[in-house]
Amino acid sequence: MVNHEAHEAAADERVMFGFWVYLMTDLLLFSVLFASYSVLHGNTVGGPTGRDLFTLPLALQETILLLTSSFTCGLGLLAARSNKKWQTLICFGITFILGALFLSLEMKEFTEFIHSGQTLQTNAFLSSFFVLVGTHGLHITSGLLWMGVTMGYILKRGLNKALVRKLALLSLFWHFLDIVWIFIFTIVYLGAFA
Amino acid sequence: MSTPAPHGMSEQKTLTSYVVGFLLSLSFTLMPYYLVVTHRVAGTSLLITILTFAMVQLLVQVIFFLHLGRGASSQANIYFFVGTFVAMLVVVVGSIVIISNLHSNMTSLDQTKRIIDSEGIYQVSGELTGACRGHYPNHRVTIENGKVTPLLTIATKCDTLTFIDNDIVNVAITFGPHIHHTSYAGLDILSVPKAHTKTITLSQTGTFLFHDHTRPEVKGSFAVVDAN
Amino acid sequence: MKEFFLGRLTQDSLPHDWVTVGGTGTFIAMFLFAALILTRTKRWKWLWNDWLTSVDPKKIGIMYFLTAAFMLIRGGIDVILMWVQQALSSGSSHGILSADHYQQIFTAHGNIMVFFVAMGFIFGLINYIVPLQIGARDLASPLLNTLGFWLYIGGVVMVNMFFVLGGQYAATGWLAVAPLSGIAFSPGTGVDYWIWSLQISGIGTTLGAINFIMTILKMRAPGMTIWKMPLFTWGSLFSMLMAVAVFPLLTATLFLQFFDRYFGAHFFTALGGGDPMMYTNLIWMWGHPEVYILMLPAFGIFSEVVATFSRKPIASYTANVLGMAGVSALALSVWLHHFFTMGASADVNAFFGLITLVIAIPTAVLFFTWIATMHRGLIRFDTPMLWFLGFVTIFTIGGVSGLILAFPPADFQLHNSLFLVAHFHSNVIGGVLFGIFAGISYWFPKFTGFRLNERIGRNAFWCWIIGFCLSFVPMYILGIMGATRRLDHYDAQTGYQPFFILMLIGGLVIAVGVGLQIIQIVASIIQKGNLRDATGDPWNGRTLEWATASPPAFYNFTVIPHVITRDAFLDMKRLGLPEPHYEDITMPKNTAVGIYIAALAFLVGFAFVWHINWLAVVAMIGIIIVFVIRAFNEDSEYVVTAEEVKSIEEARIAATAAITKKSGAMSEQEDMSVREFVIYVYDFAIDIIRNKKWKSW
């Protein structure tokens, strides 16, 4: 049985490491989107620039929502490791709500742009903006989905080792998305006004 | 980094690290925001400042949230993180530098034409792309004793044009009016050493002036028309 | 309504050109034939349970080989078609193919050879050999491995899909450079097939690479520090590190191109402010390292081969590893040399030209370690060693022509010419393909339990070398004469035709070589009693893979070995093999999740090619559901008890002893020659017809 536990611990460590490598590949995927945005953000073909379109307070709200969710996500993992089921669920519940709020603000911004005729097809600047920010939003969506399903399983099965491991991976993913957002906030939103 | 068993860190310490990380991140978000809104700094220096804040916040989150550097597989994780960071810089900075460098020498239109030419694909799904292929008639322009013959060459698109330098000096062919040169099909300058020849493909239509850059009075022109 | 359900798929999409109809017929005939055999022998269940859903890297490796070999022949037929066209299409003759067809064929040829032949073989070899070399029972994530493999298959099917459902393949060259691949120039389905074929297999490659990095870094046998790893494992590690660094770039770039084509975005279309050069820039950031991703495992194979067949340890192991590290690092930073002529200023060109030249230094270090290994070695000239020597010759030619191209001024003259094509092929055929052949003939006994026929192997090798020189030396000359690449027709006065005819003859000689390789395998199967490898160590090997049986049991090692030095198995042989003792082994269960996800991913791609939006959405939701179900399945392993292991091992030892006894009598007999093979097949056929044996089928 000792053998079996050692086997599991080694497997755990490998999964954490492999997931870390996966996150790095995801970061490289984002680097292409950042590169395209940096190269193309001036090509508006006479249309409005980022300075005309973006509202900084909204971007700040989004940033703070995501940062706070990253914090509560960490607290949730801490609770999970101490085997406190309800504390875990509450922390991740708050994280989920904050993430969903973030996503709704982003959707609101996107729909406003689209209603004013500023779409993906308008020019290279908007293409790269929508795809960069949208890809981040898609990651947030999949993170929320993952969080929802995991919380469902915690409710059903209680906190077991396998689920704590999943929460550890999830929190890694969530922190990682916050880091990507720092750069979107800085380069896309603040950068437009610099 | 956070693994199921928090390696070498008590619960209390982990909690503290989350709180510290959160507060630091919050301030590193608000400070650049304040700078941008109030326009205390401007231009490139502002851009550099806010990027620096972003980098610092990156470090804060990596240390206080991701706990990189703690745990069993920490070293490999750090290597991968640093490697990825370098690769990202190469991708982003490399792209910005390369594209701006390319554009300082060639317009997008010239580049598109040259891509089409150099990919050698003159038609896709039966539609012509504008690239030349195969062999077409050749025209010659001779430069001898500071004289260009003939002064005007009329050619069809995709023909070739050969410059023959029979002079006693080397010739550097440039296009458009002197000093404010233009380029021809992406070509800025064509040097023809004395007693040598150089051939170009006439892939761009229109009428063009050319002259020897060192002797602007040695000049001529050519016109390229579409085949049909 | 019809458009909603079927998108742009109509009756016109069915194949109607002679080439595609022929292809479709062949594919359907082969599929039916295979289905017939499986049904007659009642093996569908066996195929599904033992192979398709298997997570055993050895079986997945074999499946990679079979697919890649099949695609090698498919891509080879493309070459012959192209070269026939070029040999004939001079002056008033226009050859056998239309210009559009010719373009589709060279595009498909490039994609198939790089993604589905070279990548397939390399991943197959890594799958099979790396776990054995590092003394592991399995990969870090068996699930990711089967998923990666099935995504690769999804890409294979997608690249051949236009045969079945018509439409067209991309006519834009293997990297589909913008703006040619944009919707304005390529409105058909061709580029969409290209995008999704690469996208699906590319994601598979990224996942596979993550898995191998985890495996190599975290699952080595006790005692095997990183500086004691075998060199093939090193080469694979570097290759996989490069893959995780650049394949995400490909994924992102393809998505951007997809957004341009499908949603009308403006990343690479100059009209909306996009930048075609950005595409060239991004695609080469991936495209250049991609070739090295293929090359580094091949370097590793050569290191293993040269050490084993010179019966010496590799000379300066550290220099060899550092050489590979240098090649990998530099390969990531030279991409601009693919577009020297696109307006970069002289200093930028000089910078990238210089880094390109510097790659020659670590490569030369590698070559010197191999030559130094041969020096005073007791060299055996078996076929793996022949492939190595062929590689040294041809790769050097390719490398030197690469150095010429690395000078921007020379590149201005030579880019876009057949000189470039000849350079690239010298490196990928001489390097990657010969490496794969060396690896397969070296490890064939490990895969199957018997050696490959040496005599026919030598014949095949010489056909390849002679055919290669006949086709590519004229190609270098044509390039210097000014022949551009992708030429489907040329003027008679150019004087190109004799050279193109020579190239075709060379191509046919290579085709004979491929035919001989197939004969070699069949002849080896006929003669396998003689060629049996009973010891598991036919070449007096040095590394751990030879410590297992041939072929290895599904758990690879009964006991995980403890490693002391680099030549781990040589040590074990010197110190005396450990007495077998048995323990419980935890193994992963087979799973069909990889097949389901890959099939759904294929459907997503297919739906986007034909604009069937509902199908894309349904398939994506399907992927998520399968993924969630699998992620929360906590029952994915089983335990093989020590008693079971013991009975498996004892049965194997008994079977080997019986074979050794039987084959001992015939061991004097030499390997079959081609002539003997023909006589054998003739007798076999006559026997069937005379004695009416076919009636019993």
Side-chain angles (χ1 to χ4, degrees):
Chain A
M1 232 34 230
V2 177
N3 196 0
H4 186 70
E5 259 168 31
H7 174 84
E8 273 218 330
D12 271 7
E13 196 209 313
R14 283 200 296 273
V15 171
M16 289 302 278
F17 173 64
F19 192 73
W20 182 255
V21 180
Y22 155 73
L23 288 182
M24 296 300 109
T25 64
D26 221 2
L27 215 51
L28 283 160
L29 189 137
F30 272 107
S31 76
V32 169
L33 305 181
F34 276 114
S36 323
Y37 184 82
S38 316
V39 168
L40 299 172
H41 74 277
N43 303 2
T44 55
V45 203
T49 60
R51 196 183 275 258
D52 306 327
L53 284 176
F54 302 145
T55 41
L56 274 187
L58 183 78
L60 185 68
Q61 276 177 50
E62 288 177 284
T63 310
I64 290 172
L65 280 176
L66 206 59
L67 180 60
T68 316
S69 82
S70 200
F71 175 62
T72 54
C73 171
L75 297 184
L77 182 63
L78 209 58
R81 278 178 182 155
S82 334
N83 213 7
K84 294 172 189 153
K85 180 179 168 185
W86 287 106
Q87 206 175 325
T88 312
L89 281 175
I90 290 166
C91 283
F92 275 100
I94 295 171
T95 312
F96 188 92
I97 292 166
L98 291 173
L101 276 175
F102 168 86
L103 208 59
S104 70
L105 283 186
E106 196 169 292
M107 297 288 243
K108 189 179 143 227
E109 186 190 25
F110 275 22
T111 32
E112 270 170 16
F113 286 175
I114 290 167
H115 279 304
S116 64
Q118 306 298 327
T119 67
L120 185 79
Q121 286 117 330
T122 310
N123 54 40
F125 154 63
L126 283 165
S127 296
S128 55
F129 165 78
F130 275 111
V131 171
L132 171 59
V133 181
T135 306
H136 180 263
L138 206 65
H139 277 77
I140 292 279
T141 315
S142 43
L144 288 178
L145 194 74
W146 183 0
M147 210 179 289
V149 175
T150 314
M151 288 197 295
Y153 273 99
I154 293 175
L155 272 176
K156 211 172 97 187
R157 293 182 188 168
L159 267 178
N160 62 26
K161 245 188 185 167
L163 285 173
V164 175
R165 202 183 317 147
K166 294 224 157 53
L167 287 179
L169 295 181
L170 173 64
S171 70
L172 215 55
F173 185 65
W174 201 256
H175 294 318
F176 159 79
L177 289 182
D178 191 28
I179 290 178
V180 173
W181 182 260
I182 299 170
F183 285 91
I184 293 182
F185 177 65
T186 309
I187 292 174
V188 176
Y189 291 98
L190 292 183
F193 292 87
Chain B
M1 112 159 208
S2 40
T3 48
H7 293 274
M9 265 176 95
S10 69
E11 201 180 315
Q12 188 56 44
K13 256 187 169 170
T14 317
L15 181 66
T16 321
S17 98
Y18 278 124
V19 175
V20 171
F22 179 62
L23 293 176
L24 281 177
S25 296
L26 202 60
S27 47
F28 287 132
T29 304
L30 291 173
M31 279 191 274
Y33 181 81
Y34 174 76
L35 285 179
V36 169
V37 172
T38 54
H39 288 287
R40 281 291 164 84
V41 201
T44 321
S45 50
L46 178 59
L47 204 62
I48 292 170
T49 318
I50 58 176
L51 278 174
T52 315
F53 274 115
M55 293 288 173
V56 174
Q57 195 182 160
L58 166 78
L59 274 184
V60 167
Q61 296 217 1
V62 164
I63 293 167
F64 291 97
F65 283 0
L66 294 173
H67 301 142
L68 187 70
R70 302 225 180 86
S73 53
S74 60
Q75 252 196 335
N77 287 3
I78 296 174
Y79 289 144
F80 270 85
F81 183 72
V82 173
T84 308
F85 192 73
V86 172
M88 280 187 81
L89 279 184
V90 171
V91 172
V92 177
V93 178
S95 295
I96 296 171
V97 169
I98 286 174
I99 296 292
S100 76
N101 185 274
L102 296 182
H103 283 308
S104 64
N105 294 313
M106 261 171 108
T107 66
S108 250
L109 197 68
D110 289 340
Q111 280 166 342
T112 305
K113 277 187 185 132
R114 192 173 282 176
I115 292 171
I116 288 169
D117 260 348
S118 77
E119 284 298 300
I121 296 172
Y122 58 91
Q123 59 98 34
V124 172
S125 316
E127 285 191 30
L128 295 179
T129 59
C132 301
R133 67 150 185 156
H135 275 253
Y136 291 86
N138 174 249
H139 305 268
R140 286 147 182 261
V141 172
T142 313
I143 299 164
E144 194 165 7
N145 297 330
K147 264 178 67 186
V148 177
T149 38
L151 277 171
L152 172 67
T153 307
I154 295 174
T156 324
K157 187 165 181 264
C158 293
D159 286 1
T160 52
L161 182 63
T162 304
F163 292 95
I164 304 167
D165 179 6
N166 282 343
D167 241 327
I168 44 161
V169 290
N170 299 338
V171 170
I173 305 280
T174 45
F175 302 93
H178 185 51
I179 302 177
H180 302 291
H181 297 145
T182 54
S183 64
Y184 178 73
L187 187 70
D188 295 316
I189 190 160
L190 183 76
S191 8
V192 193
K194 56 189 173 192
H196 275 75
T197 64
K198 277 285 167 71
T199 303
I200 60 170
T201 301
L202 302 174
S203 55
Q204 193 180 349
T205 54
T207 307
F208 303 91
L209 298 171
F210 66 86
H211 61 268
D212 179 4
H213 183 58
T214 45
R215 298 174 295 170
E217 70 283 1
V218 181
K219 59 185 176 185
S221 60
F222 57 90
V224 185
V225 294
D226 261 320
N228 27 18
Chain C
M1 205 54 193
K2 201 176 153 204
E3 193 162 315
F4 175 79
F5 281 112
L6 289 177
R8 297 195 177 158
L9 206 52
T10 61
Q11 233 165 17
D12 296 337
S13 334
L14 293 172
H16 31 68
D17 274 320
W18 68 268
V19 180
T20 35
V21 170
T24 313
T26 321
F27 272 110
I28 293 175
M30 278 191 297
F31 183 76
L32 286 179
F33 184 66
L36 187 75
I37 289 182
L38 284 170
T39 314
R40 296 273 331 224
T41 54
K42 300 201 168 86
R43 291 215 146 169
W44 282 104
K45 216 170 188 168
W46 162 81
L47 181 72
W48 179 261
N49 288 336
D50 280 16
W51 286 90
L52 302 186
T53 59
S54 174
V55 291
D56 184 348
K58 296 184 287 300
K59 283 186 174 165
I60 291 177
I62 301 278
M63 290 195 283
Y64 266 117
F65 293 147
L66 293 175
T67 319
F70 182 66
M71 293 314 281
L72 177 67
I73 294 167
R74 155 88 173 76
I77 292 171
D78 283 347
V79 186
I80 299 295
L81 278 175
M82 276 150 61
W83 283 357
V84 167
Q85 167 75 11
Q86 287 183 319
L88 296 179
S89 177
S90 167
S92 56
S93 158
H94 280 265
I96 52 166
L97 300 167
S98 70
D100 206 42
H101 237 127
Y102 181 79
Q103 289 169 358
Q104 292 179 33
I105 289 176
F106 71 63
T107 307
H109 166 74
N111 293 149
I112 286 173
M113 288 304 194
V114 172
F115 292 103
F116 303 120
V117 177
M119 285 298 261
F121 276 123
I122 291 290
F123 264 88
L125 284 169
I126 296 179
N127 253 297
Y128 207 109
I129 298 301
V130 164
L132 293 174
Q133 277 199 334
I134 62 173
R137 290 206 169 108
D138 200 354
L139 296 179
S141 165
L143 175 69
L144 273 190
N145 196 30
T146 145
L147 179 56
F149 170 72
W150 284 105
L151 288 172
Y152 160 82
I153 295 290
V156 169
V157 177
M158 188 63 88
V159 85
N160 288 302
M161 199 59 206
F162 69 105
F163 275 126
V164 185
L165 255 178
Q168 290 173 319
Y169 193 62
T172 48
W174 80 291
L175 286 187
V177 166
L180 283 171
S181 50
I183 199 80
F185 281 121
S186 305
T189 53
V191 178
D192 298 312
Y193 275 134
W194 179 87
I195 288 177
W196 287 101
S197 159
L198 262 64
Q199 191 67 288
I200 293 171
S201 61
I203 291 172
T205 304
T206 311
L207 296 178
I210 293 175
N211 196 10
F212 285 116
I213 290 175
M214 280 152 67
T215 309
I216 296 174
L217 292 184
K218 300 282 170 191
M219 291 181 71
R220 293 191 305 275
M224 186 183 278
T225 60
I226 200 146
W227 288 102
K228 284 179 190 163
M229 293 196 317
L231 286 164
F232 176 64
T233 304
W234 263 116
S236 307
L237 177 63
F238 283 127
S239 160
M240 295 298 111
L241 287 174
M242 275 202 277
V244 293
V246 299
F247 265 83
L249 308 183
L250 173 74
T251 305
T253 311
L254 290 175
F255 267 123
L256 298 188
Q257 180 62 281
F258 165 69
F259 272 95
D260 265 17
R261 289 180 61 86
Y262 203 85
F263 298 112
H266 292 290
F267 286 100
F268 311 124
T269 42
L271 213 60
D275 193 334
M277 280 317 290
M278 189 63 191
Y279 181 87
T280 308
N281 173 51
L282 289 174
I283 201 84
W284 279 118
M285 275 182 180
W286 157 82
H288 188 84
E290 159 69 6
V291 188
Y292 287 76
I293 290 171
L294 301 172
M295 199 57 243
L296 278 156
F299 283 158
I301 294 170
F302 289 128
S303 299
E304 302 287 350
V305 165
V306 80
T308 306
F309 291 90
S310 304
R311 297 179 231 187
K312 269 177 71 186
I314 191 90
S316 187
Y317 171 95
T318 318
N320 190 299
V321 173
L322 291 179
M324 287 196 279
V327 170
S328 327
L330 290 169
L332 294 170
S333 42
V334 295
W335 74 95
L336 186 126
H337 72 210
H338 292 273
F339 46 102
F340 274 152
T341 62
M342 297 307 299
S345 58
D347 34 359
V348 170
N349 275 353
F351 173 78
F352 281 95
L354 270 176
I355 306 187
T356 312
L357 288 170
V358 169
I359 295 189
I361 296 170
T363 317
V365 168
L366 284 169
F367 271 77
F368 289 130
T369 61
W370 294 323
I371 292 169
T373 308
M374 287 193 288
H375 179 64
R376 298 202 173 175
L378 217 56
I379 302 176
R380 290 175 57 173
F381 289 95
D382 294 284
T383 38
M385 193 64 186
L386 289 184
W387 288 115
F388 165 74
L389 294 170
F391 150 78
V392 170
T393 321
I394 289 176
F395 194 84
T396 308
I397 297 172
V400 172
S401 62
L403 291 182
I404 296 172
L405 286 166
F407 289 100
D411 185 75
F412 267 81
Q413 296 302 315
L414 291 168
H415 86 282
N416 190 30
S417 74
L418 284 178
F419 188 88
L420 168 83
V421 180
H423 151 71
F424 176 72
H425 283 80
S426 303
N427 287 357
V428 283
I429 295 180
V432 179
L433 204 59
F434 282 16
I436 288 164
F437 291 156
I440 287 181
S441 44
Y442 178 53
W443 284 306
F444 196 84
K446 190 54 48 191
F447 304 153
T448 58
F450 53 93
R451 221 165 30 74
L452 272 177
N453 178 311
E454 278 288 322
R455 278 172 88 178
I456 303 178
R458 280 198 292 273
N459 297 342
F461 167 77
W462 285 111
C463 280
W464 265 97
I465 288 281
I466 293 167
F468 181 88
C469 294
L470 271 178
S471 25
F472 287 92
V473 172
M475 198 187 265
Y476 277 114
I477 298 171
L478 275 171
I480 293 172
M481 285 167 75
T484 53
R485 60 198 177 137
R486 300 166 181 175
L487 205 60
D488 64 310
H489 181 75
Y490 48 90
D491 210 74
Q493 288 154 352
T494 52
Y496 292 166
Q497 198 168 23
F499 292 99
F500 277 123
I501 292 174
L502 216 53
M503 276 166 59
L504 175 63
I505 295 171
L508 294 175
V509 175
I510 294 178
V512 172
V514 174
L516 284 174
Q517 286 176 308
I518 296 170
I519 291 177
Q520 181 193 17
I521 293 173
V522 178
S524 311
I525 294 171
I526 294 171
Q527 263 196 320
K528 69 178 172 194
N530 282 0
L531 303 171
R532 182 76 59 187
D533 163 33
T535 57
D537 178 27
W539 313 111
N540 193 14
R542 323 175 73 84
T543 38
L544 277 182
E545 74 269 32
W546 303 111
T548 59
S550 290
F554 62 91
Y555 43 76
N556 291 356
F557 298 90
T558 46
V559 181
I560 300 290
H562 281 255
V563 175
I564 306 160
T565 63
R566 270 169 205 157
D567 292 319
F569 182 50
L570 207 66
D571 275 349
M572 284 165 70
K573 284 189 281 193
R574 251 184 232 139
L575 301 172
L577 299 174
E579 280 297 303
H581 81 102
Y582 305 108
E583 60 188 22
D584 287 0
I585 297 174
T586 313
M587 294 301 290
K589 283 183 182 166
N590 284 0
T591 172
V593 167
I595 301 183
Y596 298 147
I597 293 185
L600 289 165
F602 174 83
L603 278 184
V604 173
F606 181 81
F608 279 130
V609 170
W610 291 101
H611 292 248
I612 312 172
N613 295 328
W614 67 267
L615 182 62
V617 174
V618 169
M620 280 191 271
I621 293 172
I623 291 178
I624 294 169
I625 291 173
V626 175
F627 200 76
V628 168
I629 291 175
R630 168 70 197 193
F632 290 92
N633 172 14
E634 287 163 15
D635 173 38
S636 59
E637 290 185 329
Y638 69 103
V639 174
V640 189
T641 59
E643 287 83 62
E644 284 170 301
V645 176
K646 192 176 173 201
S647 67
I648 294 171
E649 285 299 309
E650 278 168 357
R652 182 183 62 78
I653 291 164
T656 325
I659 293 163
T660 322
K661 234 183 200 170
K662 220 167 67 189
S663 66
M666 301 196 294
S667 61
E668 297 300 307
Q669 207 176 320
E670 223 190 334
D671 288 2
M672 207 181 242
S673 70
V674 180
R675 195 169 147 265
E676 285 159 359
F677 174 78
V678 172
I679 293 170
Y680 181 93
V681 172
Y682 176 79
D683 288 346
F684 183 71
I686 290 290
D687 178 51
I688 287 172
I689 295 166
R690 286 240 177 93
N691 301 327
K692 302 203 159 104
K693 280 192 179 165
W694 44 272
K695 275 191 174 168
S696 62
W697 294 348

